[in-house]
């Protein structure tokens, strides 16, 4: 598959939201229906339209994944589940390492502890658990693992 990584555009929001929904439905079975609905609304209405994201696109410029990056912290990384296992997530992390201009700073990410697939993915790439929080950033009862990669 031909893939490149570019900045997000306003026209990408609907496709990025579809990627987010499908990825979360495939990996976040621990979320309550109420929490999923609340997070979905926030992602659709506030996060995706405003965030400066990196987007992996296929040869026809169709988004297949996206990543939010704040300095050396991966805020979000979602890959279309139909594209899992093709190296897209790893390519996005490689891009993050370059885009962040780490200069010796560790790249970090927060991962839901119950999301075994994501925890395994990051561990496979060399991230290690550096801490844990009992609740997510919104105070919901979904523990986060704080992971870093040197």
């Amino acid at each position: 598959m031909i893939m490149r990584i570019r900045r997000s555009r306003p026209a990408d929001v609907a496709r990025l939201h579809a990627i987010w929904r499908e990825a979360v439905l495939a990996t976040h079975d621990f979320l309550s229906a109420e929490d999923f609905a609340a997070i979905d609304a926030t992602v659709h209405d506030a996060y995706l339209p405003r965030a400066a994201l990196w987007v992996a696109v296929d040869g026809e410029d169709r988004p297949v994944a996206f990543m939010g990056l704040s300095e050396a912290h991966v805020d979000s990384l979602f890959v279309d589940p139909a594209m899992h296992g093709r190296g897209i997530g790893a390519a996005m992390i490689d891009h993050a390492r370059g885009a962040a201009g780490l200069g010796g700073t560790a790249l970090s990410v927060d991962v839901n502890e119950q999301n075994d697939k994501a925890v395994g993915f990051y561990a496979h790439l060399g991230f290690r658990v550096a801490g844990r929080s009992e609740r997510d950033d919104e105070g919901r009862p979904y523990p986060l693992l704080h992971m870093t990669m040197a």
Side-chain angles (χ1 to χ4, degrees):
M1 179 186 101
I2 298 171
M3 185 192 74
R4 68 184 177 88
I5 298 172
R6 63 162 170 79
R7 283 296 195 172
S8 61
R9 303 175 184 144
D12 295 331
V13 170
R15 175 69 184 136
L16 299 183
H17 184 240
I19 291 169
W20 179 88
R21 284 183 60 88
E22 292 302 315
V24 169
L25 289 171
T27 60
H28 291 63
D29 58 353
F30 52 89
L31 289 176
S32 72
E34 179 180 283
D35 287 340
F36 175 82
I39 296 166
D40 182 44
T42 299
V43 167
H44 181 266
D45 298 340
Y47 182 67
L48 292 175
R50 293 183 181 98
L53 302 168
W54 292 103
V55 179
V57 296
D58 64 16
E60 293 159 10
D61 200 43
R62 183 173 192 260
V64 295
F66 70 89
M67 175 179 64
L69 184 65
S70 298
E71 297 181 13
H73 183 76
V74 177
D75 300 317
S76 60
L77 176 57
F78 292 93
V79 178
D80 181 337
M83 305 300 282
H84 282 183
R86 298 186 189 192
I88 296 168
M92 296 293 278
I93 293 297
D94 284 346
H95 185 81
R97 291 176 61 79
L102 298 178
T105 302
L107 188 64
S108 64
V109 65
D110 295 333
V111 184
N112 288 106
E113 186 176 57
Q114 298 109 313
N115 187 344
D116 295 331
K117 290 178 183 177
V119 172
F121 165 77
Y122 289 111
H124 176 75
L125 292 180
F127 284 82
R128 299 294 174 248
V129 175
R132 182 180 184 274
S133 298
E134 281 294 319
R135 297 185 169 272
D136 70 12
D137 294 337
E138 299 299 319
R140 296 181 188 99
Y142 305 113
L144 293 177
L145 296 178
H146 311 293
M147 302 180 78
T148 60
M149 178 186 5

